[in-house]
Amino acid sequence: MEPNPISETIIKEGGSSRSSAKDVARLAGVSTATVSRVLNTPYQVEEKTQKLVRDAVKKLHYVPHGAARALRSARSQMIGAVIPSFDYALYARMTSAMQTALDAKGYSVVLAEHHYNLKSELRTTEQLIRHGVDAFIFVGLTHDAELFSMLQNYGRPYILTWGIDSTGHHPSIGFDSRSATFDLTRHLIDLGHKRFGLLSAMVNGNDRATDRGTGIRTALAQAGLKLSDDCVQYGSIDLASAKAMMHKILMLAPSHRPTAVMCTNDVFAVGAMTACREAGIKIPDDMSITGCDDTDLGATQTPPLTSIHTPITEVGLAAAEQIIARLEGQPYKQSQSFPYKVVLRASVCKPAY
Amino acid sequence: MEPNPISETIIKEGGSSRSSAKDVARLAGVSTATVSRVLNTPYQVEEKTQKLVRDAVKKLHYVPHGAARALRSARSQMIGAVIPSFDYALYARMTSAMQTALDAKGYSVVLAEHHYNLKSELRTTEQLIRHGVDAFIFVGLTHDAELFSMLQNYGRPYILTWGIDSTGHHPSIGFDSRSATFDLTRHLIDLGHKRFGLLSAMVNGNDRATDRGTGIRTALAQAGLKLSDDCVQYGSIDLASAKAMMHKILMLAPSHRPTAVMCTNDVFAVGAMTACREAGIKIPDDMSITGCDDTDLGATQTPPLTSIHTPITEVGLAAAEQIIARLEGQPYKQSQSFPYKVVLRASVCKPAY
DNA sequence: CTGTTAGCGCTTTCAA
DNA sequence: TTGAAAGCGCTAACAG
């Protein structure tokens, strides 16, 4: 008996192994090229043939092989998001916004954290390039120099977020952190505060924290004030570390102790509030406290935290749109700035004299 | 003049386009097969040759082409994490834990959200399969039936998290939500509460919310109590929605109004606290409130929120380890359960009579 | 509008 | 221990 080609087809249909374009082509009675066309450039194929192919695709549960497509077309449809940390609500929210926008256009998000370490960011990005990621979104303007040469070398478009690159070297989407904290500091100065404290994220390679600090110092300097060294604490972004930092400030002699403590993020501010509560220090009467990023964590405190609303969803969406525009050769803006908003709440008031 | 093959090599070295195994082979004076061996099975290559190749790799900044490798070896080293939402702190934290563990083993995490929609989860997973993702981590036990057949069809290993599959059909890593809320409810009953309220996430396809509700109802039933319909509210997981839900409950006649409101997550609980504050209802004296997941958001409230500490970092790490074990054919446990912990804080007390 | 053919960059036999 | 050569599944160029 001759082997029957039809029975082979039938076996394939029921089989549980992955079906290929070849299988679809055979079932539909066309060539693999036509299968590819139906999926990628359907307008080049006759309606009737399309239906034939689509039916076969459905029947076989055919899903094109991404790696093969990526290899052939040099495009993987994957965007890398390289983020400092997932545990900070705003980074998570930005990623979420990006993912939604990219998913809608058929791109997938490949995710990596670098835990505020620029060398780790470099290594991780290299990994992603190796995995075939087409383009990148980074947080912040400061990065390892090698990062940019690597991206250039592999022809990978990228966008920096959370800041605006005034040198114009890199495409960027963000907001003016410096001016935001400047404004907020002015407000505290206007209330009559003279002695300030600062809880800051480690500034090493973290331009968001650096800029936020700079905005504060600039405003103080203009008012003839300054931050004394023992009123400035640096730490990692978690509540325990924030409490410890604030505790140190509360140990200062009352005549030295700040009447307002500003924080480069809401987590620090909430940790500071907790430390004050535990020490019996009243907020805002004995101590004014401000945060940054306007998270739910801060907004729901008692009293609610004064903060700066950063336009992070907008940044995430814009970054997604722009990276697609670059990838698809459409026009795009070199840099975009979104407005922040100072949100005054009951965690600040005039200093007690 | 003859074209000079050496100058061609020199040009390649300085060029900015991506270098391939061929380029490395040429520079090292070996074949591409040897380049591949040095990178993947170095013990098969003589030390001296290895050095030659590695030097060339460094000089050319060679990074293997992931798609080509994936195509040839049918493994992309990418793990898909399909998560309900990034905006919920605990999912972000789990993803973070997974990413750290997977990154250490050379795997990348590809991320997707489905916004609590199982059909969207199915579509998104198909996308990821198409992109060549090797294996998957999902949240929850309830999924579209087609999801499992698709995974089977494409031979993709997966793990369900945040729950324990008692049927043994699917590998799972999680904790016993039902028993956790049962315990907490018992505590409130012991305090003397008789009228309960519940703020729950939409239970449609969300087994975490379903189980949490079941635990509560079971404990109440055992004590001869029940949830009256107008004391149960369903909504999406954000503060505004939570406040609105709690507001409805506060509108009930005082004789009908619950003395304790339990929530299937901390966001709801904090929204409920806010609503109470705005309505002048004292917590815990006039109203006891409980959450679930023990987030910073709840723990830093005034008064601090009673909640359930869910072992989510452990789940994330274990899921990462297990998925690698499956992928690499090592032994693994079919299902793992981690202990939760009820965390009693000042947001609950005896009911006022 | 559709089929044929070549080849993306790598890994993996098979031979030497 | 190494090289030559085949081919993973797909898309793009070229014919027809």
Side-chain angles (χ1 to χ4, degrees):
Chain A
M1 254 214 244
E2 290 280 334
N4 182 348
I6 292 180
S7 78
E8 189 198 333
T9 306
I10 290 169
I11 287 165
K12 272 274 181 191
E13 278 183 55
S16 76
S17 79
R18 177 167 194 150
S19 44
S20 71
K22 224 175 186 169
D23 300 321
V24 176
R26 195 180 322 159
L27 183 59
V30 299
S31 72
T32 60
T34 299
V35 173
S36 171
R37 285 191 198 102
V38 170
L39 267 46
N40 300 303
T41 53
Y43 55 88
Q44 293 181 353
V45 182
E46 200 180 315
E47 283 285 348
K48 227 164 75 185
T49 320
Q50 279 195 43
K51 182 162 164 37
L52 236 46
V53 171
R54 289 194 201 285
D55 286 351
V57 164
K58 202 159 285 169
K59 196 161 192 175
L60 298 178
H61 287 113
Y62 170 66
V63 173
H65 192 293
R69 167 181 287 183
L71 178 57
R72 178 63 230 221
S73 57
R75 301 270 247 83
S76 68
Q77 306 265 100
M78 297 189 305
I79 310 289
V82 185
I83 301 292
S85 160
F86 253 50
D87 239 8
Y88 190 59
L90 276 246
Y91 293 138
R93 176 160 301 173
M94 178 175 79
T95 312
S96 180
M98 280 173 15
Q99 202 266 332
T100 305
L102 289 171
D103 189 64
K105 298 271 192 174
Y107 290 84
S108 288
V109 175
V110 182
L111 167 79
E113 290 174 297
H114 60 68
H115 300 288
Y116 300 92
N117 178 331
L118 297 187
K119 283 292 178 197
S120 154
E121 181 182 46
L122 177 65
R123 281 196 303 275
T124 223
T125 303
E126 182 177 340
Q127 276 258 7
L128 295 188
I129 289 182
R130 158 185 326 209
H131 284 343
V133 165
D134 285 338
F136 288 89
I137 296 172
F138 297 101
V139 169
L141 305 177
T142 305
H143 301 275
D144 196 290
E146 213 181 313
L147 184 76
F148 296 116
S149 64
M150 188 170 70
L151 290 165
Q152 160 93 34
N153 209 291
Y154 285 96
R156 295 296 192 274
Y158 61 89
I159 293 170
L160 310 183
T161 59
W162 282 68
I164 304 153
D165 178 30
S166 46
T167 72
H169 287 148
H170 308 290
S172 60
I173 298 180
F175 49 89
D176 188 341
S177 291
R178 208 175 301 187
S179 146
T181 52
F182 179 95
D183 291 355
L184 180 52
T185 309
R186 285 273 350 142
H187 176 74
L188 291 172
I189 293 168
D190 290 346
L191 283 175
H193 289 276
K194 302 247 185 285
R195 296 196 305 278
F196 285 77
L198 169 63
L199 304 191
S200 171
M202 254 94 66
V203 290
N204 190 357
N206 182 340
D207 51 86
R208 282 90 61 214
T210 309
D211 282 353
R212 290 171 182 196
T214 305
I216 293 168
R217 285 174 221 265
T218 307
L220 291 178
Q222 286 188 9
L225 301 169
K226 64 184 290 258
L227 280 168
S228 87
D229 280 349
D230 46 7
C231 293
V232 180
Q233 298 288 330
Y234 297 91
S236 62
I237 306 182
D238 59 85
L239 282 176
S241 134
K243 269 168 68 173
M245 290 192 275
M246 189 62 187
H247 190 67
K248 280 192 193 148
I249 286 180
L250 293 178
M251 303 278 275
L252 296 172
S255 62
H256 229 71
R257 188 192 286 166
T259 58
V261 169
M262 304 186 66
C263 305
T264 60
N265 60 67
D266 272 18
V267 173
F268 283 166
V270 170
M273 291 177 106
T274 310
C276 288
R277 272 180 220 131
E278 290 175 359
I281 308 264
K282 285 223 174 65
I283 303 164
D285 311 82
D286 302 336
M287 181 72 75
S288 287
I289 292 183
T290 71
C292 192
D293 285 339
D294 189 27
T295 61
D296 287 345
L297 179 69
T300 58
Q301 292 299 304
T302 313
L305 181 65
T306 288
S307 193
I308 294 164
H309 183 84
T310 46
I312 225 45
T313 308
E314 290 86 337
V315 169
L317 291 176
E321 272 170 29
Q322 174 156 157
I323 205 74
I324 293 175
R326 286 181 173 247
L327 233 25
E328 300 185 346
Q330 291 153 15
Y332 58 84
K333 304 183 193 113
Q334 170 73 7
S335 92
Q336 277 175 270
S337 175
F338 288 93
Y340 58 84
K341 205 160 61 190
V342 172
V343 185
L344 298 176
R345 298 204 187 91
S347 71
V348 303
C349 71
K350 292 182 187 173
Y353 283 96
Chain B
M1 251 213 244
E2 291 280 334
N4 181 348
I6 291 181
S7 77
E8 189 199 334
T9 305
I10 290 169
I11 287 165
K12 273 275 180 188
E13 276 182 57
S16 75
S17 77
R18 177 168 194 150
S19 45
S20 71
K22 222 175 186 168
D23 299 321
V24 175
R26 197 179 322 159
L27 183 60
V30 299
S31 73
T32 59
T34 300
V35 173
S36 170
R37 285 191 197 102
V38 169
L39 268 45
N40 299 303
T41 53
Y43 54 87
Q44 292 181 355
V45 182
E46 204 177 311
E47 282 284 349
K48 226 164 75 186
T49 319
Q50 279 195 44
K51 181 162 165 39
L52 236 47
V53 172
R54 287 193 203 286
D55 287 351
V57 165
K58 202 158 286 168
K59 197 161 191 174
L60 298 179
H61 287 114
Y62 170 66
V63 172
H65 192 294
R69 169 180 284 182
L71 177 57
R72 180 63 227 220
S73 57
R75 299 271 246 85
S76 68
Q77 307 265 99
M78 298 189 302
I79 310 289
V82 185
I83 301 293
S85 160
F86 250 51
D87 240 8
Y88 189 60
L90 275 247
Y91 294 138
R93 176 160 302 173
M94 179 174 80
T95 312
S96 180
M98 280 173 14
Q99 203 266 333
T100 304
L102 290 171
D103 189 63
K105 299 269 194 175
Y107 290 83
S108 289
V109 175
V110 182
L111 168 77
E113 291 174 295
H114 61 68
H115 300 288
Y116 301 91
N117 178 331
L118 298 187
K119 283 293 179 195
S120 154
E121 182 182 45
L122 176 66
R123 282 194 304 273
T124 223
T125 303
E126 182 177 339
Q127 276 257 10
L128 295 188
I129 288 182
R130 156 185 330 206
H131 284 343
V133 165
D134 285 338
F136 288 89
I137 296 172
F138 297 100
V139 169
L141 304 177
T142 305
H143 300 275
D144 196 290
E146 213 182 313
L147 183 77
F148 295 116
S149 65
M150 188 171 69
L151 290 165
Q152 160 94 33
N153 208 293
Y154 284 95
R156 295 297 192 273
Y158 62 87
I159 293 171
L160 310 183
T161 60
W162 284 67
I164 305 153
D165 177 31
S166 45
T167 72
H169 287 147
H170 308 291
S172 60
I173 298 180
F175 48 90
D176 188 341
S177 290
R178 207 175 302 187
S179 147
T181 52
F182 179 94
D183 291 356
L184 180 52
T185 310
R186 283 276 346 146
H187 176 75
L188 291 172
I189 292 169
D190 291 346
L191 283 175
H193 289 277
K194 301 247 185 286
R195 295 195 307 277
F196 285 77
L198 169 64
L199 304 191
S200 170
M202 254 94 66
V203 291
N204 190 356
N206 182 340
D207 50 86
R208 283 90 61 214
T210 309
D211 283 353
R212 290 171 182 197
T214 305
I216 294 169
R217 285 174 221 264
T218 307
L220 291 178
Q222 286 188 7
L225 301 169
K226 63 185 291 254
L227 281 168
S228 87
D229 281 349
D230 46 8
C231 293
V232 180
Q233 297 288 330
Y234 297 91
S236 64
I237 306 183
D238 60 84
L239 282 176
S241 133
K243 269 168 68 173
M245 289 192 276
M246 189 64 188
H247 190 67
K248 280 194 192 147
I249 287 180
L250 293 179
M251 302 278 274
L252 296 172
S255 62
H256 229 73
R257 188 193 287 167
T259 58
V261 169
M262 304 186 68
C263 305
T264 60
N265 61 66
D266 271 18
V267 173
F268 283 165
V270 170
M273 291 178 105
T274 310
C276 288
R277 272 181 220 129
E278 289 174 358
I281 307 262
K282 284 223 173 67
I283 303 164
D285 311 81
D286 301 336
M287 180 72 76
S288 288
I289 292 182
T290 71
C292 193
D293 286 337
D294 189 26
T295 61
D296 287 345
L297 179 68
T300 58
Q301 293 299 304
T302 312
L305 180 66
T306 288
S307 193
I308 293 163
H309 183 85
T310 45
I312 223 47
T313 308
E314 290 85 337
V315 169
L317 292 176
E321 273 171 28
Q322 173 156 158
I323 205 74
I324 293 175
R326 285 180 173 246
L327 233 24
E328 301 185 346
Q330 291 153 14
Y332 58 84
K333 305 182 192 112
Q334 170 73 8
S335 93
Q336 277 175 270
S337 175
F338 288 94
Y340 59 86
K341 205 159 62 191
V342 172
V343 185
L344 298 176
R345 298 204 188 91
S347 70
V348 304
C349 72
K350 291 184 190 174
Y353 283 96

